[in-house]
Amino acid sequence: MKKIIIKLFHKIRTWHEIDRQNNLRKRYNIHSSFRFNGENIQFYGDGELVIAEQSYIGSYSTVQLAKGCTVKIGKGCSISHNVRIYTASKSPDWDFADKANAPNKIGNVIIGDFVWIGANVLINPGLTIGDNAVIGANSVVTKSIEAYAIYGGVPAKLIRMKKIDV
């Protein structure tokens, strides 16, 4: 009996996750070949989300879409699990005691084609990640990244350029 209940629970959870993902596809501009690669992937906010073909995002990842902002994810992108992409955040150069007037740092996030983003990466507002770039696991991206670059660390820094002919 216990095994049947567990199987039923997993089946209901799977149906719920598929329904939630279908609702996200209806709400945002997500290509039909985009893959939700796991569970508890969150897209939220009143901004615009555009995802091109053949990309995926892993479990427990979040894309925050502030009103008036856009996140664009190019084609063929591999976004691992537990990645955070934000279009709004508190400005660090502010007296947080003055909550009524504290400004937000807001801006679009543009991720080029064929980008690989490792697990547990945080991408801050207002940044562009160039085509074919790599961001290593556990990195915090605080500035835009050029195409064909490999970045990693906290804050993310250039490790090297890719050794391929472009």
Side-chain angles (χ1 to χ4, degrees):
M1 183 67 166
K2 185 176 180 180
K3 286 183 180 184
I4 293 171
I5 292 171
I6 291 171
K7 281 185 179 183
L8 181 60
F9 171 77
H10 287 296
K11 187 66 100 174
I12 290 170
R13 189 171 73 181
T14 300
W15 289 338
H16 171 73
E17 192 67 28
I18 290 168
D19 184 56
R20 205 176 60 72
Q21 292 169 2
N22 287 336
N23 288 333
L24 290 172
R25 287 183 191 280
K26 290 175 190 171
R27 181 172 181 190
Y28 299 109
N29 185 0
I30 301 173
H31 193 274
S32 61
S33 66
F34 174 77
R35 189 171 79 240
F36 290 91
N37 201 26
E39 60 188 17
N40 294 321
I41 297 164
Q42 303 291 320
F43 300 161
Y44 70 94
D46 294 325
E48 181 182 14
L49 175 62
V50 179
I51 303 177
E53 66 270 12
Q54 302 302 318
S55 292
Y56 72 83
I57 193 167
S59 294
Y60 305 103
S61 292
T62 300
V63 177
Q64 175 229 40
L65 302 152
K67 189 172 185 171
C69 291
T70 301
V71 171
K72 289 185 181 177
I73 298 172
K75 63 183 175 183
C77 291
S78 301
I79 302 173
S80 191
H81 61 275
N82 202 36
V83 171
R84 303 287 185 255
I85 301 171
Y86 292 110
T87 57
S89 181
K90 294 290 184 199
S91 176
D93 295 321
W94 194 259
D95 179 3
F96 292 120
D98 185 8
K99 292 180 183 180
N101 296 310
N104 283 332
K105 176 182 178 183
I106 62 169
N108 300 330
V109 174
I110 310 299
I111 299 172
D113 295 336
F114 306 106
V115 171
W116 178 22
I117 300 173
N120 306 311
V121 168
L122 168 66
I123 300 173
N124 280 287
L127 303 179
T128 298
I129 299 170
D131 293 345
N132 223 300
V134 175
I135 303 171
N138 303 309
S139 296
V140 176
V141 182
T142 59
K143 64 180 183 174
S144 291
I145 294 175
E146 61 271 29
Y148 297 92
I150 300 172
Y151 271 70
V154 180
K157 295 185 191 268
L158 178 65
I159 295 170
R160 65 178 173 86
M161 298 302 290
K162 284 187 166 186
K163 296 177 183 175
I164 59 175
D165 293 326
V166 285

